[in-house]
Amino acid sequence: MTFFFETTNMDLGDTSIENIFINDFMPIANGTDVKVYLLGYKYASDKDDNITVTNETIAKHLNIPLSDVLRAWDFWENKGIIIKHVKEDSEEYDYEIEFLSLKQLYIKNNYKMISSQESAGLTTTSYTCSVKDLLEANDVPGVQKMFSSINNIIRRSLVPNEKMKILEWIQNYNMNPDIVIKGYFYAVEKRGKKNVDYVA
C-alpha cells in the first residue's frame, strides 16, 4: 500500500508563512512592506539556483518603485526579522536578504529573559503590572488579540485590573497568550466561572 498526491501539469507551488508573522508583524506594517516581505520569502522558499532575483526584480513584479522595496527591507531589518548581507563591490541596493526563523527568535527572546532574571537573582521576585505597562501592552497585536478573544469567551469586556493580572501571569510564569485563552475557555465553558481568580 502506498500514499501519493495527484501530479499536475503545472507546479503552482506553496509557500508556508509562520503564524507569528501573520499575528504579530503583519498588523504593524503597511501593505507594501508586507508584499515585499512575502514575495522575497516566496523567492527564498523556491530555492531555484537557475533564477536570479534582485530588488529590481521584486520592484518590477510588484509594480512599485525600487525605493519602496529598499524602504521595506529597512523596516523589516529594524523589526529584527531579516538580515541584509551587503555584497562586496556592488551597488548599495544589491544585497542578500536572510529571513530569520520567527519561532527561533521567540524561543531565544524568552530564554534570554529567563536567563537574565536568573543571573540577576530575580526569579523569586514577582512582576507587578503598572498602568503604563498595560497601556504599552495594549498596543501589541498579540496582546490585543488575546484580550479580544477573552472578551468573546466571557461575553463582556475585561476591566483594567483583570488585564493587568493577566499580563502578570504571562510575565511571571512565562505563559503563552494562547494558554491564557484556553484557560478562560475551560473555566467558562466547562466550569461556568468567569472570575479572573478562578482562571488563575
Side-chain angles (χ1 to χ4, degrees):
M1 182 177 187
T2 59
F3 301 91
F4 60 94
F5 291 103
E6 174 189 13
T7 56
T8 58
N9 296 328
M10 196 185 309
D11 180 17
L12 299 177
D14 294 293
T15 302
S16 177
I17 298 293
E18 292 173 281
N19 285 341
I20 296 172
F21 176 78
I22 295 170
N23 293 335
D24 296 337
F25 290 96
M26 194 167 72
I28 63 173
N30 65 37
T32 299
D33 294 338
V34 172
K35 287 192 285 187
V36 169
Y37 182 94
L38 292 177
L39 185 58
Y41 195 94
K42 185 256 182 197
Y43 284 134
S45 301
D46 283 347
K47 296 178 184 173
D48 190 341
D49 295 332
N50 297 321
I51 299 175
T52 302
V53 179
T54 64
N55 283 319
E56 291 99 326
T57 309
I58 292 176
K60 185 176 179 182
H61 189 106
L62 295 176
N63 195 28
I64 60 175
L66 176 61
S67 59
D68 284 358
V69 176
L70 303 180
R71 198 175 301 114
W73 292 134
D74 288 342
F75 174 81
W76 293 121
E77 184 178 48
N78 183 257
K79 295 303 174 191
I81 65 173
I82 62 132
I83 297 175
K84 292 191 292 190
H85 296 280
V86 181
K87 299 177 184 177
E88 291 183 13
D89 303 322
S90 63
E91 300 287 340
E92 60 179 311
Y93 56 82
D94 185 20
Y95 43 76
E96 296 178 339
I97 299 293
E98 178 183 358
F99 291 90
L100 301 179
S101 166
L102 304 186
K103 292 180 190 134
Q104 189 67 26
L105 284 174
Y106 180 81
I107 292 167
K108 273 185 188 173
N109 289 338
N110 280 328
Y111 178 76
K112 256 188 219 171
M113 181 181 71
I114 293 167
S115 297
S116 63
Q117 286 177 343
E118 287 175 349
S119 62
L122 299 175
T123 50
T124 56
T125 304
S126 293
Y127 161 75
T128 302
C129 182
S130 67
V131 174
K132 182 175 179 261
D133 293 339
L134 176 59
L135 292 174
E136 290 175 355
N138 279 329
D139 291 331
V140 178
V143 174
Q144 288 176 352
K145 181 185 171 190
M146 175 188 67
F147 286 152
S148 176
S149 297
I150 294 171
N151 289 343
N152 290 334
I153 291 168
I154 65 176
R155 297 170 186 86
R156 66 170 174 81
S157 294
L158 288 163
V159 297
N161 284 346
E162 290 174 319
K163 289 183 177 182
M164 291 165 76
K165 187 165 280 194
I166 291 168
L167 293 174
E168 288 170 2
W169 297 342
I170 290 172
Q171 181 70 21
N172 289 328
Y173 305 112
N174 195 30
M175 292 177 71
N176 187 302
D178 288 339
I179 298 297
V180 179
I181 293 169
K182 286 176 183 173
Y184 263 96
F185 181 82
Y186 179 82
V188 173
E189 299 299 326
K190 303 293 184 185
R191 299 294 181 186
K193 305 283 187 182
K194 298 181 183 180
N195 189 301
V196 66
D197 292 320
Y198 181 85
V199 178

